[in-house]
CSV table of all heavy atoms in Angstrom, one decimal:
chain,number,residue,atom,x,y,z
U,4,MET,N,67.3,24.6,-47.2
U,4,MET,CA,67.8,25.9,-47.6
U,4,MET,C,67.1,27.0,-46.9
U,4,MET,O,65.9,27.0,-46.9
U,4,MET,CB,67.5,26.1,-49.1
U,4,MET,CG,68.3,25.2,-50.1
U,4,MET,SD,69.9,25.7,-50.2
U,4,MET,CE,69.8,27.2,-51.2
U,5,PRO,N,67.9,27.8,-46.3
U,5,PRO,CA,67.2,28.9,-45.5
U,5,PRO,C,66.7,30.0,-46.4
U,5,PRO,O,67.2,30.1,-47.5
U,5,PRO,CB,68.4,29.4,-44.6
U,5,PRO,CG,69.6,29.2,-45.4
U,5,PRO,CD,69.3,27.8,-46.0
U,6,ILE,N,65.8,30.8,-45.9
U,6,ILE,CA,65.3,32.0,-46.6
U,6,ILE,C,66.4,33.0,-46.6
U,6,ILE,O,67.1,33.2,-45.6
U,6,ILE,CB,64.1,32.5,-45.8
U,6,ILE,CG1,62.8,31.6,-46.1
U,6,ILE,CG2,63.7,33.9,-46.3
U,6,ILE,CD1,62.2,31.8,-47.4
U,7,VAL,N,66.6,33.7,-47.7
U,7,VAL,CA,67.5,34.7,-47.8
U,7,VAL,C,66.8,36.1,-48.3
U,7,VAL,O,66.0,36.0,-49.2
U,7,VAL,CB,68.6,34.4,-48.9
U,7,VAL,CG1,69.6,35.6,-49.0
U,7,VAL,CG2,69.4,33.1,-48.5
U,8,ILE,N,67.0,37.1,-47.6
U,8,ILE,CA,66.4,38.4,-48.0
U,8,ILE,C,67.7,39.3,-48.4
U,8,ILE,O,68.6,39.5,-47.8
U,8,ILE,CB,65.8,39.0,-46.7
U,8,ILE,CG1,64.5,38.1,-46.4
U,8,ILE,CG2,65.3,40.4,-47.1
U,8,ILE,CD1,63.8,38.6,-45.2
U,9,ASP,N,67.4,39.9,-49.6
U,9,ASP,CA,68.3,40.8,-50.2
U,9,ASP,C,68.1,42.1,-49.6
U,9,ASP,O,67.1,42.8,-50.0
U,9,ASP,CB,68.1,40.8,-51.7
U,9,ASP,CG,69.2,41.6,-52.5
U,9,ASP,OD1,69.8,42.7,-51.8
U,9,ASP,OD2,69.4,41.5,-53.6
U,10,ARG,N,69.0,42.5,-48.8
U,10,ARG,CA,68.9,43.7,-48.0
U,10,ARG,C,68.8,45.0,-48.9
U,10,ARG,O,68.2,46.1,-48.6
U,10,ARG,CB,69.9,43.9,-47.0
U,10,ARG,CG,70.0,42.8,-45.9
U,10,ARG,CD,71.0,43.0,-44.8
U,10,ARG,NE,70.9,44.4,-44.2
U,10,ARG,CZ,70.0,44.5,-43.1
U,10,ARG,NH1,69.4,43.4,-42.7
U,10,ARG,NH2,69.9,45.6,-42.4
U,11,ASP,N,69.5,44.9,-50.1
U,11,ASP,CA,69.5,46.0,-51.1
U,11,ASP,C,68.1,46.2,-51.7
U,11,ASP,O,67.8,47.3,-52.2
U,11,ASP,CB,70.6,45.8,-52.1
U,11,ASP,CG,72.0,45.9,-51.5
U,11,ASP,OD1,72.1,46.7,-50.5
U,11,ASP,OD2,72.9,45.3,-52.1
U,12,GLU,N,67.4,45.2,-51.8
U,12,GLU,CA,66.1,45.2,-52.4
U,12,GLU,C,64.9,45.4,-51.5
U,12,GLU,O,63.8,45.8,-51.9
U,12,GLU,CB,65.8,43.8,-53.2
U,12,GLU,CG,66.8,43.7,-54.4
U,12,GLU,CD,66.8,44.8,-55.4
U,12,GLU,OE1,65.7,45.3,-55.7
U,12,GLU,OE2,67.9,45.1,-56.0
U,13,CYS,N,65.1,45.1,-50.3
U,13,CYS,CA,63.9,45.1,-49.3
U,13,CYS,C,63.6,46.6,-49.0
U,13,CYS,O,64.5,47.4,-48.6
U,13,CYS,CB,64.2,44.4,-48.0
U,13,CYS,SG,63.0,44.6,-46.7
U,14,SER,N,62.3,46.9,-49.1
U,14,SER,CA,61.8,48.3,-48.9
U,14,SER,C,61.3,48.5,-47.5
U,14,SER,O,60.9,49.5,-47.1
U,14,SER,CB,60.8,48.7,-49.9
U,14,SER,OG,59.6,47.9,-49.7
U,15,GLY,N,61.2,47.3,-46.8
U,15,GLY,CA,60.6,47.4,-45.4
U,15,GLY,C,59.1,47.4,-45.5
U,15,GLY,O,58.5,48.0,-44.4
U,16,CYS,N,58.4,47.1,-46.5
U,16,CYS,CA,57.0,47.2,-46.7
U,16,CYS,C,56.2,46.5,-45.6
U,16,CYS,O,55.0,46.8,-45.4
U,16,CYS,CB,56.5,47.0,-48.1
U,16,CYS,SG,56.6,45.3,-48.4
U,17,GLY,N,56.8,45.3,-45.2
U,17,GLY,CA,56.2,44.6,-44.1
U,17,GLY,C,55.1,43.5,-44.7
U,17,GLY,O,54.5,42.8,-43.9
U,18,LEU,N,54.9,43.4,-46.0
U,18,LEU,CA,53.9,42.5,-46.5
U,18,LEU,C,54.3,41.1,-46.2
U,18,LEU,O,53.5,40.2,-45.9
U,18,LEU,CB,53.9,42.7,-48.0
U,18,LEU,CG,53.2,43.8,-48.6
U,18,LEU,CD1,53.2,43.9,-50.0
U,18,LEU,CD2,51.6,43.8,-48.1
U,19,CYS,N,55.6,40.7,-46.2
U,19,CYS,CA,56.0,39.4,-45.9
U,19,CYS,C,55.7,39.1,-44.4
U,19,CYS,O,55.4,38.0,-44.1
U,19,CYS,CB,57.5,39.2,-46.1
U,19,CYS,SG,58.7,40.4,-45.3
U,20,MET,N,55.9,40.0,-43.5
U,20,MET,CA,55.6,39.8,-42.1
U,20,MET,C,54.1,39.4,-41.9
U,20,MET,O,53.8,38.5,-41.2
U,20,MET,CB,55.9,41.1,-41.3
U,20,MET,CG,57.2,41.4,-41.2
U,20,MET,SD,57.5,43.0,-40.4
U,20,MET,CE,56.7,42.8,-38.9
U,21,ASP,N,53.3,40.1,-42.7
U,21,ASP,CA,51.7,39.8,-42.6
U,21,ASP,C,51.5,38.5,-43.1
U,21,ASP,O,50.6,37.8,-42.7
U,21,ASP,CB,51.0,40.9,-43.3
U,21,ASP,CG,51.2,42.3,-42.8
U,21,ASP,OD1,51.5,42.3,-41.5
U,21,ASP,OD2,50.9,43.2,-43.5
U,22,GLU,N,52.2,38.1,-44.1
U,22,GLU,CA,52.0,36.8,-44.8
U,22,GLU,C,52.5,35.5,-44.0
U,22,GLU,O,51.9,34.5,-44.1
U,22,GLU,CB,52.5,36.9,-46.2
U,22,GLU,CG,52.0,35.7,-47.1
U,22,GLU,CD,50.5,36.0,-47.5
U,22,GLU,OE1,50.1,37.1,-47.4
U,22,GLU,OE2,50.0,34.9,-48.1
U,23,CYS,N,53.5,35.7,-43.3
U,23,CYS,CA,54.1,34.6,-42.7
U,23,CYS,C,53.3,33.9,-41.6
U,23,CYS,O,53.0,34.5,-40.5
U,23,CYS,CB,55.5,35.0,-42.0
U,23,CYS,SG,56.3,33.7,-41.2
U,24,PRO,N,52.9,32.7,-41.8
U,24,PRO,CA,52.2,31.9,-40.8
U,24,PRO,C,52.9,31.6,-39.5
U,24,PRO,O,52.2,31.4,-38.5
U,24,PRO,CB,51.7,30.7,-41.5
U,24,PRO,CG,52.8,30.5,-42.5
U,24,PRO,CD,53.3,31.8,-42.9
U,25,ALA,N,54.2,31.6,-39.6
U,25,ALA,CA,55.0,31.2,-38.4
U,25,ALA,C,55.4,32.5,-37.6
U,25,ALA,O,56.1,32.3,-36.6
U,25,ALA,CB,56.2,30.5,-38.8
U,26,GLU,N,55.1,33.7,-38.1
U,26,GLU,CA,55.5,34.9,-37.4
U,26,GLU,C,57.0,35.0,-37.3
U,26,GLU,O,57.5,35.3,-36.2
U,26,GLU,CB,54.8,35.1,-36.1
U,26,GLU,CG,53.2,35.3,-36.3
U,26,GLU,CD,52.5,35.5,-35.0
U,26,GLU,OE1,53.2,35.8,-34.0
U,26,GLU,OE2,51.2,35.7,-35.0
U,27,ALA,N,57.7,34.5,-38.3
U,27,ALA,CA,59.1,34.3,-38.4
U,27,ALA,C,59.8,35.7,-38.8
U,27,ALA,O,61.1,35.6,-38.7
U,27,ALA,CB,59.6,33.1,-39.1
U,28,ILE,N,59.1,36.5,-39.3
U,28,ILE,CA,59.8,37.7,-40.0
U,28,ILE,C,59.6,39.0,-39.1
U,28,ILE,O,58.4,39.2,-38.6
U,28,ILE,CB,59.3,37.9,-41.4
U,28,ILE,CG1,59.4,36.7,-42.3
U,28,ILE,CG2,60.0,39.1,-42.1
U,28,ILE,CD1,58.9,36.8,-43.7
U,29,SER,N,60.6,39.7,-39.0
U,29,SER,CA,60.4,41.1,-38.2
U,29,SER,C,61.3,42.1,-39.1
U,29,SER,O,62.1,41.7,-39.9
U,29,SER,CB,61.0,40.9,-36.9
U,29,SER,OG,62.3,40.5,-36.8
U,30,LEU,N,61.2,43.3,-38.6
U,30,LEU,CA,62.0,44.4,-39.2
U,30,LEU,C,63.1,44.8,-38.3
U,30,LEU,O,62.9,44.8,-37.1
U,30,LEU,CB,61.2,45.6,-39.6
U,30,LEU,CG,60.1,45.4,-40.6
U,30,LEU,CD1,59.4,46.7,-40.9
U,30,LEU,CD2,60.6,44.9,-41.9
U,31,ASP,N,64.3,44.8,-38.8
U,31,ASP,CA,65.4,45.2,-38.0
U,31,ASP,C,65.5,46.6,-37.6
U,31,ASP,O,64.6,47.4,-38.0
U,31,ASP,CB,66.8,44.6,-38.4
U,31,ASP,CG,67.2,45.3,-39.8
U,31,ASP,OD1,66.6,46.4,-40.2
U,31,ASP,OD2,68.2,44.7,-40.4
U,32,ASP,N,66.7,47.1,-37.1
U,32,ASP,CA,66.8,48.5,-36.6
U,32,ASP,C,66.8,49.4,-37.8
U,32,ASP,O,66.5,50.6,-37.8
U,32,ASP,CB,68.0,48.7,-35.8
U,32,ASP,CG,68.0,48.1,-34.5
U,32,ASP,OD1,66.9,47.6,-34.1
U,32,ASP,OD2,69.1,47.8,-33.9
U,33,GLU,N,67.2,48.8,-39.0
U,33,GLU,CA,67.2,49.6,-40.2
U,33,GLU,C,65.9,49.5,-41.1
U,33,GLU,O,65.8,50.0,-42.2
U,33,GLU,CB,68.5,49.3,-41.1
U,33,GLU,CG,69.7,49.4,-40.3
U,33,GLU,CD,70.9,48.9,-41.1
U,33,GLU,OE1,70.9,49.0,-42.3
U,33,GLU,OE2,71.9,48.4,-40.5
U,34,GLY,N,65.0,48.9,-40.6
U,34,GLY,CA,63.7,48.7,-41.3
U,34,GLY,C,63.7,47.7,-42.4
U,34,GLY,O,62.9,47.7,-43.3
U,35,ILE,N,64.7,46.7,-42.2
U,35,ILE,CA,64.8,45.7,-43.3
U,35,ILE,C,64.3,44.4,-42.6
U,35,ILE,O,64.6,44.1,-41.5
U,35,ILE,CB,66.3,45.5,-43.7
U,35,ILE,CG1,66.8,46.9,-44.2
U,35,ILE,CG2,66.5,44.4,-44.7
U,35,ILE,CD1,66.2,47.5,-45.4
U,36,ALA,N,63.7,43.6,-43.6
U,36,ALA,CA,63.1,42.3,-43.0
U,36,ALA,C,64.2,41.3,-42.7
U,36,ALA,O,65.2,41.2,-43.4
U,36,ALA,CB,62.1,41.8,-44.1
U,37,VAL,N,64.0,40.6,-41.6
U,37,VAL,CA,64.9,39.6,-41.1
U,37,VAL,C,64.1,38.4,-40.8
U,37,VAL,O,63.0,38.4,-40.3
U,37,VAL,CB,65.9,40.0,-40.0
U,37,VAL,CG1,66.9,41.0,-40.5
U,37,VAL,CG2,65.1,40.5,-38.8
U,38,VAL,N,64.7,37.2,-41.1
U,38,VAL,CA,64.0,36.0,-40.8
U,38,VAL,C,64.6,35.1,-39.6
U,38,VAL,O,65.8,35.0,-39.6
U,38,VAL,CB,63.9,35.0,-42.0
U,38,VAL,CG1,63.3,33.6,-41.7
U,38,VAL,CG2,63.1,35.7,-43.1
U,39,ASP,N,63.8,34.7,-38.6
U,39,ASP,CA,64.2,33.9,-37.6
U,39,ASP,C,64.2,32.6,-38.1
U,39,ASP,O,63.1,31.9,-38.2
U,39,ASP,CB,63.2,34.1,-36.3
U,39,ASP,CG,63.7,33.2,-35.2
U,39,ASP,OD1,64.6,32.3,-35.4
U,39,ASP,OD2,63.2,33.5,-34.0
U,40,GLU,N,65.4,32.0,-38.4
U,40,GLU,CA,65.5,30.6,-39.0
U,40,GLU,C,64.9,29.5,-38.0
U,40,GLU,O,64.6,28.4,-38.5
U,40,GLU,CB,67.0,30.4,-39.4
U,40,GLU,CG,67.3,31.3,-40.6
U,40,GLU,CD,68.7,30.9,-41.0
U,40,GLU,OE1,69.3,29.8,-40.7
U,40,GLU,OE2,69.3,31.8,-41.9
U,41,ASP,N,64.9,29.8,-36.8
U,41,ASP,CA,64.5,28.8,-35.8
U,41,ASP,C,62.9,28.7,-36.0
U,41,ASP,O,62.4,27.6,-35.6
U,41,ASP,CB,64.9,29.1,-34.4
U,41,ASP,CG,66.3,29.1,-34.2
U,41,ASP,OD1,66.9,28.3,-34.8
U,41,ASP,OD2,66.8,29.7,-33.3
U,42,GLU,N,62.3,29.7,-36.4
U,42,GLU,CA,60.8,29.7,-36.5
U,42,GLU,C,60.3,29.3,-37.9
U,42,GLU,O,59.2,28.9,-38.1
U,42,GLU,CB,60.2,31.0,-36.0
U,42,GLU,CG,60.5,31.5,-34.6
U,42,GLU,CD,59.8,30.5,-33.6
U,42,GLU,OE1,58.7,29.9,-33.9
U,42,GLU,OE2,60.4,30.3,-32.5
U,43,CYS,N,61.1,29.8,-38.9
U,43,CYS,CA,60.8,29.6,-40.3
U,43,CYS,C,60.5,28.1,-40.7
U,43,CYS,O,61.4,27.3,-40.4
U,43,CYS,CB,61.8,30.2,-41.2
U,43,CYS,SG,61.5,30.0,-42.9
U,44,THR,N,59.4,27.8,-41.3
U,44,THR,CA,59.1,26.4,-41.8
U,44,THR,C,59.5,26.2,-43.2
U,44,THR,O,59.2,25.2,-43.8
U,44,THR,CB,57.7,26.0,-41.6
U,44,THR,OG1,56.8,27.0,-42.3
U,44,THR,CG2,57.3,26.2,-40.1
U,45,GLU,N,60.0,27.3,-43.9
U,45,GLU,CA,60.3,27.3,-45.3
U,45,GLU,C,59.2,27.0,-46.2
U,45,GLU,O,59.2,26.3,-47.2
U,45,GLU,CB,61.5,26.3,-45.6
U,45,GLU,CG,62.7,26.7,-44.7
U,45,GLU,CD,63.9,25.8,-45.0
U,45,GLU,OE1,63.8,25.0,-45.8
U,45,GLU,OE2,64.9,26.0,-44.4
U,46,CYS,N,58.0,27.5,-45.8
U,46,CYS,CA,56.7,27.4,-46.6
U,46,CYS,C,56.7,28.0,-47.9
U,46,CYS,O,56.0,27.8,-48.8
U,46,CYS,CB,55.5,27.8,-45.7
U,46,CYS,SG,55.4,29.6,-45.5
U,47,GLY,N,57.5,29.2,-48.0
U,47,GLY,CA,57.6,29.9,-49.2
U,47,GLY,C,56.6,31.1,-49.4
U,47,GLY,O,56.6,31.7,-50.5
U,48,ALA,N,55.7,31.2,-48.5
U,48,ALA,CA,54.6,32.2,-48.7
U,48,ALA,C,55.3,33.6,-48.8
U,48,ALA,O,54.7,34.4,-49.6
U,48,ALA,CB,53.7,32.2,-47.4
U,49,CYS,N,56.3,34.0,-48.1
U,49,CYS,CA,56.9,35.3,-48.2
U,49,CYS,C,57.5,35.5,-49.5
U,49,CYS,O,57.5,36.7,-50.0
U,49,CYS,CB,57.8,35.5,-47.0
U,49,CYS,SG,59.1,34.2,-47.0
U,50,VAL,N,58.1,34.4,-50.1
U,50,VAL,CA,58.7,34.6,-51.3
U,50,VAL,C,57.7,35.2,-52.4
U,50,VAL,O,58.0,36.1,-53.2
U,50,VAL,CB,59.3,33.3,-51.8
U,50,VAL,CG1,59.8,33.5,-53.3
U,50,VAL,CG2,60.3,32.8,-50.9
U,51,ASP,N,56.5,34.6,-52.5
U,51,ASP,CA,55.5,35.0,-53.4
U,51,ASP,C,54.9,36.4,-53.2
U,51,ASP,O,54.5,37.0,-54.2
U,51,ASP,CB,54.4,34.0,-53.4
U,51,ASP,CG,54.9,32.6,-53.8
U,51,ASP,OD1,55.8,32.4,-54.5
U,51,ASP,OD2,54.2,31.6,-53.4
U,52,VAL,N,54.9,36.8,-51.9
U,52,VAL,CA,54.2,38.1,-51.7
U,52,VAL,C,55.1,39.4,-51.8
U,52,VAL,O,54.7,40.5,-52.0
U,52,VAL,CB,53.6,38.0,-50.3
U,52,VAL,CG1,54.7,38.3,-49.2
U,52,VAL,CG2,52.5,39.1,-50.2
U,53,CYS,N,56.4,39.2,-51.9
U,53,CYS,CA,57.3,40.3,-51.8
U,53,CYS,C,57.2,41.0,-53.2
U,53,CYS,O,57.7,40.5,-54.2
U,53,CYS,CB,58.8,39.8,-51.5
U,53,CYS,SG,59.9,41.2,-51.6
U,54,PRO,N,56.9,42.3,-53.2
U,54,PRO,CA,56.8,43.1,-54.5
U,54,PRO,C,58.1,43.3,-55.1
U,54,PRO,O,58.2,43.6,-56.3
U,54,PRO,CB,56.1,44.3,-54.0
U,54,PRO,CG,56.4,44.5,-52.6
U,54,PRO,CD,56.5,43.2,-52.0
U,55,ASN,N,59.2,43.3,-54.3
U,55,ASN,CA,60.5,43.6,-54.7
U,55,ASN,C,61.3,42.3,-55.2
U,55,ASN,O,62.5,42.5,-55.5
U,55,ASN,CB,61.3,44.4,-53.7
U,55,ASN,CG,60.7,45.8,-53.5
U,55,ASN,OD1,59.7,46.1,-54.2
U,55,ASN,ND2,61.3,46.6,-52.6
U,56,VAL,N,60.8,41.2,-55.0
U,56,VAL,CA,61.4,40.0,-55.3
U,56,VAL,C,62.8,39.9,-54.5
U,56,VAL,O,63.8,39.6,-55.0
U,56,VAL,CB,61.7,39.7,-56.8
U,56,VAL,CG1,62.0,38.3,-57.0
U,56,VAL,CG2,60.6,40.2,-57.6
U,57,ALA,N,62.6,40.3,-53.2
U,57,ALA,CA,63.8,40.4,-52.4
U,57,ALA,C,64.0,39.1,-51.5
U,57,ALA,O,65.1,38.9,-51.0
U,57,ALA,CB,63.7,41.6,-51.4
U,58,ILE,N,63.1,38.2,-51.6
U,58,ILE,CA,63.1,37.0,-50.8
U,58,ILE,C,63.4,35.8,-51.7
U,58,ILE,O,62.6,35.7,-52.7
U,58,ILE,CB,62.0,36.8,-49.9
U,58,ILE,CG1,61.6,38.1,-49.2
U,58,ILE,CG2,62.2,35.7,-48.9
U,58,ILE,CD1,60.3,38.0,-48.4
U,59,THR,N,64.4,35.0,-51.4
U,59,THR,CA,64.5,33.7,-52.1
U,59,THR,C,64.7,32.6,-51.1
U,59,THR,O,65.0,32.7,-49.9
U,59,THR,CB,65.8,33.8,-53.0
U,59,THR,OG1,66.9,34.2,-52.2
U,59,THR,CG2,65.6,34.7,-54.1
U,60,LEU,N,64.3,31.4,-51.6
U,60,LEU,CA,64.3,30.1,-50.7
U,60,LEU,C,65.2,29.2,-51.3
U,60,LEU,O,65.2,29.0,-52.5
U,60,LEU,CB,62.9,29.6,-50.7
U,60,LEU,CG,62.6,28.3,-49.9
U,60,LEU,CD1,63.1,28.5,-48.4
U,60,LEU,CD2,61.2,27.9,-50.0
A,28,LIG,S1,57.7,42.0,-48.6
A,28,LIG,FE1,59.8,42.1,-49.5
A,28,LIG,S2,60.2,44.4,-49.6
A,28,LIG,FE2,58.5,44.1,-48.1
A,28,LIG,S3,59.5,43.9,-46.1
A,28,LIG,FE3,59.3,41.8,-47.0
A,28,LIG,S4,61.3,41.4,-48.0
A,28,LIG,FE4,61.0,43.6,-47.6
A,29,LIG,S1,59.1,30.7,-45.7
A,29,LIG,FE1,57.1,30.7,-44.6
A,29,LIG,S2,57.6,30.4,-42.5
A,29,LIG,FE2,59.5,31.0,-43.5
A,29,LIG,S3,59.6,33.3,-43.3
A,29,LIG,FE3,58.6,32.8,-45.2
A,29,LIG,S4,56.4,32.9,-44.8
A,29,LIG,FE4,57.4,32.7,-42.9
């Protein structure tokens, strides 16, 4: 199951980027978090850190 980010809930705070051990998350042109599925190991660390509960696995 890939990581899914709810674009309506993401504030672009960047906490998930800081937490990701695979450096798989970046912010797009609109300042919304996006996941590189080729790099993501589906560890779940970003899910736990998001204050807006915008990330699901
Ligand atoms: S931690 Fe959540 S709100 Fe913050 S950038 Fe990541 S997905 Fe968006
Ligand atoms: S599940 Fe883990 S590897 Fe994938 S984006 Fe989140 S923190 Fe990074």
Side-chain angles (χ1 to χ4, degrees):
M4 290 287 286
I6 286 284
V7 177
I8 297 179
D9 184 336
R10 298 182 61 84
D11 292 331
E12 295 298 330
C13 175
S14 67
C16 70
L18 288 175
C19 55
M20 292 174 55
D21 295 339
E22 194 70 15
C23 179
E26 299 184 4
I28 307 177
S29 57
L30 297 183
D31 68 11
D32 293 344
E33 298 175 31
I35 305 297
V37 291
V38 175
D39 182 342
E40 291 184 12
D41 291 333
E42 298 296 329
C43 175
T44 62
E45 301 184 5
C46 70
C49 56
V50 175
D51 295 334
V52 77
C53 178
N55 293 1
V56 198
I58 312 176
T59 50
L60 178 60

